[in-house]
Amino acid sequence: MKNVLIIDDHAEMRRTTADFLGMLVENIIIDEAENGDQALLLIEKKKYDLILSDQNMPSLSGTELASILSKTGKFKTDKFLIITGVDVEDINMNPELQVEVFDKAHLLEKVIPRINELLLL
């Protein structure tokens, strides 16, 4: 089983993403966090194989969370995906982070296949 963490401040988006993943990706356990602070607490307690995060959230954005995890060594950001409703080009990403950014509109055709690839690695 693979452990996946979904972080989004909108409960409906978290639930929709979790439902899609549950139907389309085999052998996963999904945890949810409503913001970056809550995610950090979960990451302290459990090892995750993949993290899916919204970008615009209260307290910590997806990129800020990825940066913290990278600096502390708590999670390798090559398996950290940001799924956002804002224009992907507008996200300022530290080039040293290996985070991938996807538009929420492409959840089924781009994000789910990429998740399957990452969980097989």
Side-chain angles (χ1 to χ4, degrees):
M1 295 297 273
K2 300 285 186 163
N3 294 309
V4 177
L5 178 59
I6 298 172
I7 311 159
D8 198 309
D9 56 324
H10 292 97
E12 287 180 32
M13 189 61 195
R14 279 195 319 271
R15 183 75 323 217
T16 299
T17 304
D19 289 346
F20 275 129
L21 285 179
M23 289 185 300
L24 301 172
V25 180
E26 295 183 12
N27 300 317
I28 61 170
I29 297 170
I30 300 170
D31 291 332
E32 299 178 24
E34 63 184 44
N35 58 49
D37 292 329
Q38 188 180 41
L40 287 172
L41 293 173
L42 291 172
I43 293 164
E44 284 291 325
K45 298 176 186 174
K46 187 173 183 179
K47 182 184 181 302
Y48 289 96
D49 299 291
L50 179 68
I51 295 176
L52 308 174
S53 178
D54 186 20
Q55 171 61 14
N56 295 323
M57 297 180 292
S59 76
L60 292 173
S61 69
T63 51
E64 290 168 335
L65 177 60
S67 181
I68 289 168
L69 294 174
S70 177
K71 287 177 186 171
T72 61
K74 301 266 185 216
F75 187 82
K76 267 185 88 176
T77 56
D78 63 335
K79 292 196 176 186
F80 189 107
L81 304 181
I82 292 176
I83 304 170
T84 184
V86 301
D87 189 347
V88 172
E89 301 299 320
D90 291 341
I91 296 177
N92 293 325
M93 182 68 62
N94 176 343
E96 293 179 17
L97 295 177
Q98 297 175 340
V99 173
E100 295 179 64
V101 181
F102 294 92
D103 188 312
K104 285 180 182 178
H106 300 127
L107 185 63
L108 285 175
E109 72 264 16
K110 291 185 180 178
V111 181
I112 297 295
R114 184 62 181 139
I115 289 169
N116 275 315
E117 290 173 18
L118 290 171
L119 290 176
L120 290 174
L121 296 177

